[in-house]
Amino acid sequence: MTDSLTHDTQAREKSGSLHQKLTSAWSNRPGWGVLSSVNHGTVGVWFMLTGAAFFLVGGVLAMLMRSQLAIPDNTLLDAALYNQIFTMHGTVMMFLFAIPVLEGMAIYMIPKMVGARDLVFPRLSAFGYYCYLFGGLIILMSLFGDMAPDTGWFMYTPLSSAQYSPGSGPDFWLLGITFVEISAISAGVELTVSILRSRAPGMTLKKMPIFCWCILAMALMIIFGFPPLILASVMLELERAAGMPFFDVAGGGDPLLWQHLFWLFGHPEVYIIFLPAAGVVSTLIPVFAGRPMVGYGWVVFSIMLMGFVSFSLWVHHMFTVGIPQFALAFFSAASMLVAIPTGIQIFSWLATLWSGRVVFALPMLWIFGFLVIFVCGGLTGVMLALVPFNWQVHDTHFVVAHMHYVLVGGMFFPLIAGLYYWLPHFSGRMPSDKLGRWAFWLTFIGFNMTFLLMHLTGLLGMPRRVYSYESGMGWDGLNLLSSVGGFVMAAGVAMIIVDVAMHFRFGRRALPNPWQADTLEWALPMSPRPYNFASIPSISTRHPLWHNSDLPASIAAGDHMLATTSHGRRETLLTEAGTARVQAIIHLPSNSWLPLLTALVMATVCITLLAKAYLWALGAAVLAAVFLLRWSWVNGAHPGSAPIRSDDPVDPPLHSRTTDGPGLWGMVVTLMANATLYLSLLFGWFYFWTVSPQRIVPDEVPISFTVLFGSGLLLLLSAAVYQNVVTRARAGLAKGLQARLLMVLTAGFFHSVSLVWVMLTSPLQASDLTHDALILFLLMYLVFHSVLSWVLTLLQLFRVKAGYVGAKMPYELIVVRPMWIYTTVVFWTGMLAFFGMPLVWPVSS
């Protein structure tokens, strides 16, 4: 008995000491120092709270529109102000609320669900948040400054061109949205690599929670879906600011190119919004049905299929612009095909509910509301996929109603269900069942009053985007009821806010794992500590808490892997992507001001561009580059990161001492996003060359192809020598490493200089001809990547001299290699597409 008590006492002391050391390593700084936080829990909450604030702004704008449309001939808003409010409502809800708040939920939940202490690029998460915050504020500045764009949240050209929108409103939109999209892609890279490479040992892909599959699909869709909009936004801003006529018919461009690029982003975005919500549904239904998900494999297959098919639907939004009938038939079929993966998930959910013993707790009420509304939205989606019907209701309120049924029903209701489900995990208190049910019924009834009736006004011919209408057209009563429904829904949202606010003060204390859930996040204390897991367990099942109820205690006691903090670093495990076998220990950066400072300087770039202070913008861009290089410098064996010590772990080793780690995967995934932007540029070039109806092609291109060819050979030499550097470093050969890097830098320097010379000296008519503007854009793109590859190599040379990189630690050299490969590939494919294709496919002007 005495021995047992002694053992228990020693175990408690060991656990207490472990938690104290972990807390010291992982805690945020006090006071204003919290702004330097990079912990995923803090950053995820920031995303969600900021998204909620933007949601309230968008909701107020929606109520103003519904007030204006409540009665005919209303004078509450004039046409100009209504158009601004209409544009900003869509912009705020689509860009500043829906995706960021889901990203925030994913950033907060994913490490906890996969058994990691943090995401693999903590500074990138914080940087993404500040880009989102500053980008959103730039967009809202235009609204409060009475300069908001009034051309719609889709910014169709030529309405958004300088000729028809001469003010600065579209510039606020274009620069702000580009800034926000950088944030989204940062989150996409972060989540993709973290899910694939930081799962708990034993959590193979087949054992991963469905929520994680949904977030992985969302992250990959962001990687492939957002770059086309970034390209389109940059091109339109160049057209407005520098006169480069990418979408101007007078120069040989085509306004429809904007629509293609926008909807290459816009339709996948619908599923980017839906998939995380579907992940919430697939998480909650098994818990409250008391049984595993029926058809787990089919659900995972449907998630990936939905993500893939969604990229073939963009012309779904362009059925009335005059595209060929064959294309209409193809995209109509593709639009109906996406119903298959959606149906698989719905039938799996229903089968799980049917075969289980459902507990009708508050979160499930919101799930049932989702099922009703989303199925209705899916049915009207199939109707809109039929081209003849689409022609009849296009640009009517029917389309507005369908979009809200899919987006609000498909995203907002599961989001609130997840809020109520995970609220005890965050706060340690249970939500109010009474207030939550009042909030649900007000929201559900108000939503259907608002948008079900808008289907009818649309079928009766009421066009969208109009600020007023005459009496006697059959829309009066329906619009009034729809507006009343909008305010009822607003009351429901207000009830949610009141409930959550009161919850932290008056909510009753929650028992551990109050919903009897199966996933790993409920093995953590409520509220979770900043390091999540005191020790990282091995996982052998999809439902770890259902199979091992003692897991929370053993994790807290330090009975599993990585239960040590003698070095004071932040660490989590690096595992193989498929099998989840442990490969290394990832050492993570601690609190840092660099993400905030970098984002702040980049926001300064945007603001100075809006003010047309181009020299100041250039200076701010250089300063941002300095901060990013400093960010890269404090890595690996740097004293501020993980300096070489005699007691460095060996089995498993630190990731910076290996040849494979999260940085390499992050580089590859980032280049995948970059390649999507580049392919979108090629799409624009081929569209101009083959489809653009008024294309103007000059008789000859005034570029020195001899210099370009020589520049390309120098680039090949740089890439080849760098490959040799990596090969020798991996083999442990330190001799000649610096000399070879100098050779790479020398060849790369002359390659970049010659490319810049071609760009600056070629007499391209970039302000008159779309053809020349596209060529100039390609040259700028190639110059940027050539210079970036050169700078990254120069940084590696300095790190080799400092002893942070070398034959014994070749990891960072390996990380940079894909950049050289990518730069070489885009250079030569660009040469073939832009200068080779016209030789074999000549088109007269």
Side-chain angles (χ1 to χ4, degrees):
M1 182 68 175
T2 303
D3 291 341
S4 176
L5 289 175
T6 302
H7 180 270
D8 290 343
T9 302
Q10 291 175 344
R12 283 195 298 270
E13 290 177 352
K14 172 190 172 184
S15 175
S17 174
L18 174 64
H19 288 288
Q20 288 176 0
K21 292 178 180 178
L22 286 169
T23 300
S24 175
W26 288 83
S27 292
N28 297 331
R29 291 170 177 155
W32 288 103
V34 73
L35 297 177
S36 67
S37 301
V38 297
N39 183 278
H40 81 98
T42 302
V43 174
V45 171
W46 286 351
F47 262 103
M48 289 186 282
L49 291 178
T50 306
F54 282 127
F55 171 75
L56 295 179
V57 173
V60 170
L61 298 176
M63 292 301 96
L64 288 172
M65 286 192 293
R66 282 305 339 160
S67 298
Q68 170 66 20
L69 296 176
I71 58 176
D73 300 314
N74 199 351
T75 58
L76 176 66
L77 304 174
D78 59 27
L81 182 56
Y82 182 89
N83 287 338
Q84 290 187 33
I85 289 175
F86 159 75
T87 300
M88 293 303 293
H89 167 71
T91 298
V92 168
M93 289 303 197
M94 296 295 286
F95 295 101
L96 303 184
F97 165 63
I99 291 179
V101 80
L102 293 171
E103 288 174 341
M105 178 177 67
I107 287 170
Y108 183 85
M109 292 304 309
I110 284 297
K112 295 173 172 59
M113 297 188 81
V114 301
R117 285 179 176 163
D118 206 336
L119 298 170
V120 295
F121 307 124
R123 289 181 296 188
L124 185 61
S125 297
F127 171 72
Y129 169 73
Y130 286 118
C131 287
Y132 160 55
L133 174 65
F134 296 146
L137 292 177
I138 287 172
I139 294 171
L140 287 188
M141 280 169 55
S142 66
L143 178 63
F144 297 118
D146 196 25
M147 298 179 292
D150 57 3
T151 55
W153 66 275
F154 34 78
M155 293 292 287
Y156 281 169
T157 55
L159 290 178
S160 55
S161 66
Q163 179 181 358
Y164 297 102
S165 297
S168 58
D171 302 308
F172 276 92
W173 192 96
L174 293 166
L175 292 170
I177 288 300
T178 301
F179 208 12
V180 172
E181 301 298 271
I182 292 173
S183 165
I185 291 179
S186 299
V189 173
E190 175 79 274
L191 292 168
T192 298
V193 180
S194 296
I195 292 172
L196 291 176
R197 298 306 309 273
S198 67
R199 301 191 308 277
M203 186 183 283
T204 64
L205 292 176
K206 292 183 179 180
K207 297 171 186 172
M208 193 165 70
I210 290 179
F211 180 82
C212 299
W213 276 108
C214 289
I215 297 302
L216 177 61
M218 176 198 79
L220 289 172
M221 290 175 71
I222 287 173
I223 294 300
F224 293 112
F226 280 40
L229 179 60
I230 293 178
L231 174 69
S233 300
V234 172
M235 291 171 71
L236 182 54
E237 183 58 26
L238 285 173
E239 179 174 303
R240 289 178 55 85
M244 300 172 69
F246 296 108
F247 311 107
D248 187 355
V249 175
D254 188 355
L256 287 183
L257 176 58
W258 168 270
Q259 290 195 35
H260 281 288
L261 292 174
F262 183 89
W263 291 116
L264 276 169
F265 145 83
H267 204 87
E269 185 192 29
V270 174
Y271 300 95
I272 291 171
I273 292 172
F274 168 69
L275 279 173
V280 173
V281 177
S282 295
T283 300
L284 269 62
I285 283 180
V287 172
F288 292 102
R291 58 147 300 150
M293 174 69 70
V294 173
Y296 171 93
W298 283 102
V299 173
V300 171
F301 169 75
S302 70
I303 290 167
M304 293 303 163
L305 179 62
M306 179 180 290
F308 179 79
V309 173
S310 69
F311 284 93
S312 64
L313 307 182
W314 81 91
V315 180
H316 176 99
H317 297 267
M318 302 171 61
F319 281 166
T320 62
V321 302
I323 61 176
Q325 289 190 356
F326 177 79
L328 288 175
F330 173 82
F331 286 103
S332 176
S335 299
M336 288 184 280
L337 180 65
V338 79
I340 294 175
T342 307
I344 290 173
Q345 293 186 64
I346 290 174
F347 282 113
S348 180
W349 295 332
L350 294 178
T352 305
L353 292 170
W354 184 267
S355 58
R357 302 185 64 178
V358 182
V359 176
F360 290 95
L362 177 59
M364 279 304 295
L365 192 60
W366 290 88
I367 294 297
F368 279 110
F370 151 78
L371 290 172
V372 172
I373 293 173
F374 185 73
V375 168
C376 293
L379 293 174
T380 56
V382 173
M383 295 167 66
L384 287 169
L386 300 171
V387 175
F389 181 80
N390 189 294
W391 283 347
Q392 299 302 314
V393 300
H394 190 77
D395 272 347
T396 71
H397 272 206
F398 188 94
V399 177
V400 179
H402 159 73
M403 183 177 70
H404 282 83
Y405 260 78
V406 171
L407 292 180
V408 179
M411 175 267 184
F412 184 74
F413 277 72
L415 179 68
I416 302 304
L419 171 67
Y420 281 120
Y421 174 72
W422 280 304
L423 200 55
H425 180 273
F426 178 78
S427 67
R429 297 178 181 270
M430 296 297 291
S432 167
D433 191 72
K434 185 174 182 179
L435 286 177
R437 291 179 183 274
W438 269 101
F440 168 78
W441 287 111
L442 286 171
T443 306
F444 184 80
I445 293 171
F447 173 85
N448 285 285
M449 279 184 65
T450 304
F451 297 107
L452 183 61
L453 299 180
M454 287 178 71
H455 285 97
L456 300 179
T457 56
L459 290 173
L460 291 173
M462 182 172 180
R464 63 198 299 195
R465 309 167 194 151
V466 295
Y467 84 104
S468 186
Y469 57 94
E470 296 180 356
S471 181
M473 303 186 73
W475 310 334
D476 305 24
L478 292 172
N479 268 310
L480 179 60
L481 287 174
S482 185
S483 295
V484 171
F487 281 94
V488 172
M489 182 180 176
V493 173
M495 188 72 74
I496 296 171
I497 296 171
V498 170
D499 186 10
V500 173
M502 294 179 63
H503 160 89
F504 288 91
R505 177 72 181 270
F506 301 105
R508 61 183 175 86
R509 291 288 178 183
L511 298 174
N513 194 6
W515 311 115
Q516 298 304 304
D518 59 323
T519 44
L520 205 53
E521 76 273 17
W522 293 102
L524 301 175
M526 301 185 303
S527 304
R529 296 182 173 94
Y531 51 85
N532 291 336
F533 298 89
S535 57
I536 299 179
S538 295
I539 303 300
S540 58
T541 172
R542 291 180 196 148
H543 313 284
L545 292 190
W546 283 353
H547 289 82
N548 184 2
S549 58
D550 295 331
L551 200 56
S554 63
I555 290 173
D559 294 342
H560 305 282
M561 293 192 67
L562 217 57
T564 177
T565 57
S566 58
H567 40 68
R569 289 189 298 263
R570 296 186 179 189
E571 294 179 345
T572 192
L573 291 177
L574 177 72
T575 52
E576 291 182 355
T579 63
R581 293 192 183 96
V582 177
Q583 283 190 315
I585 298 171
I586 306 174
H587 53 85
L588 301 169
S590 186
N591 301 314
S592 172
W593 291 101
L594 286 171
L596 171 58
L597 293 174
T598 306
L600 188 61
V601 174
M602 292 179 67
T604 304
V605 173
C606 293
I607 294 172
T608 49
L609 287 174
L610 286 169
K612 302 188 185 305
Y614 297 122
L615 288 178
W616 284 98
L618 179 61
V622 171
L623 183 58
V626 170
F627 283 136
L628 289 171
L629 290 173
R630 176 60 183 172
W631 184 335
S632 300
W633 185 256
V634 187
N635 273 313
H638 186 277
S641 180
I644 298 175
R645 296 167 39 137
S646 59
D647 61 346
D648 274 353
V650 177
D651 187 21
L654 297 177
H655 81 271
S656 60
R657 280 55 159 169
T658 69
T659 58
D660 182 25
L664 178 60
W665 285 63
M667 173 65 82
V668 172
V669 174
T670 302
L671 290 177
M672 287 164 56
N674 198 341
T676 305
L677 187 145
Y678 178 69
L679 290 174
S680 301
L681 176 60
L682 293 184
F683 171 85
W685 173 252
F686 290 127
Y687 181 90
F688 164 80
W689 201 258
T690 60
V691 178
S692 186
Q694 304 295 328
R695 60 182 172 272
I696 302 173
V697 181
D699 295 332
E700 60 181 66
V701 181
I703 285 181
S704 175
F705 294 105
T706 302
V707 177
L708 271 181
F709 185 77
S711 179
L713 292 179
L714 288 169
L715 177 59
L716 282 172
L717 176 62
S718 298
V721 176
Y722 194 88
Q723 174 63 40
N724 180 259
V725 167
V726 171
T727 301
R728 292 178 63 83
R730 290 177 69 112
L733 302 175
K735 185 178 180 180
L737 194 60
Q738 294 187 37
R740 285 173 170 79
L741 286 174
L742 282 171
M743 187 183 301
V744 173
L745 290 169
T746 302
F749 174 80
F750 286 107
H751 157 71
S752 300
V753 168
S754 58
L755 199 55
V756 171
W757 183 85
V758 169
M759 183 179 70
L760 295 179
T761 60
S762 300
L764 295 168
Q765 303 178 61
S767 60
D768 298 320
L769 298 178
T770 304
H771 176 276
D772 287 12
L774 286 168
I775 291 177
L776 180 59
F777 194 98
L778 172 71
L779 292 174
M780 291 190 295
Y781 181 87
L782 296 179
V783 166
F784 173 80
H785 286 81
S786 298
V787 172
L788 179 60
S789 299
W790 189 88
V791 170
L792 292 179
T793 304
L794 180 64
L795 183 72
Q796 291 306 304
L797 177 62
F798 289 149
R799 291 180 68 78
V800 169
K801 290 183 176 181
Y804 304 152
V805 177
K808 294 183 179 179
M809 290 189 298
Y811 171 66
E812 294 181 40
L813 294 170
I814 296 171
V815 170
V816 176
R817 177 175 57 177
M819 187 68 206
W820 278 107
I821 297 172
Y822 179 81
T823 302
T824 305
V825 170
V826 297
F827 179 91
W828 286 106
T829 56
M831 295 303 102
L832 290 173
F834 277 70
F835 305 119
M837 187 197 74
L839 297 177
V840 298
W841 192 342
V843 177
S844 59
S845 59

